[in-house]
Amino acid sequence: MRRVTLLALIAAVVLPFSARAQGKADFSGTWTLDTAKSDPPPQGRGGGGGAGGGTQTIKQTASELSVSSEGRGGPQTMVYKLDGSESTNQVMGRGGAQSVKSTAKWDGSSLVIETTRDFQGTPITTKEVRRLDNGGKEMVIESTTQTPNGELKRKTVYTKS
């Protein structure tokens, strides 16, 4: 009888944690770049991707993720549909405003966002994998950008404010 009680107690404590770990993350909040834990930004032209620097303010609902940050031309907001369908956003580039197309889908508790933009007639694709670490106090974004000059990888870490 003691074993049954002990097993029931362990299950009552462990199962809620494992169920929560497999759920979808909530990225809502204000996030500040931690440069000490992040890779430096790529040098030169055509690099980067959606995981920029500074501060990101994120609002998340069951169907959308809205990421606001300071871009080249001022404040910028990217809105992603979380059902895997295509989202179109306007971003400021070297030649002015440009449309980018993205899809966002869940992979366990990580959010995978794939974005395609045109750079001088060449499509540039960036894949971002966002996840929460350190009990939700850190947001890690691992981005991989395919460019004509090769693949660029960058890890950025943000701390919740």
Side-chain angles (χ1 to χ4, degrees), residues 27-33 50-60 64-72 74-80 89-91 113 128 130 139 141 158:
F27 297 102
S28 298
T30 300
W31 300 89
T32 304
L33 180 66
T55 300
Q56 291 189 358
T57 301
I58 299 178
K59 295 177 184 171
Q60 182 176 336
E64 276 187 352
L65 182 81
S66 173
V67 181
S68 298
S69 61
E70 194 65 31
R72 284 188 183 121
Q76 177 174 287
T77 299
M78 304 281 282
V79 179
Y80 306 101
N89 289 286
Q90 295 291 315
V91 297
I113 302 172
E128 285 183 10
R130 289 178 185 253
M139 176 176 63
I141 304 173
Y158 291 82

Side-chain angles (χ1 to χ4, degrees), residues 1-10:
M1 186 67 178
R2 287 181 124 181
R3 278 190 203 165
V4 172
T5 305
L6 180 60
L7 286 174
L9 181 60
I10 290 172

Side-chain angles (χ1 to χ4, degrees), residues 12 14 19 21 23 32-33 43 53 68 71 92-93 104 120 126 138 146 150 159:
V14 173
T32 304
L33 180 66
Q43 300 299 311
S68 298
M92 288 303 293
Q120 299 176 348
T126 301
E138 291 180 342
Q146 303 295 333
T159 304

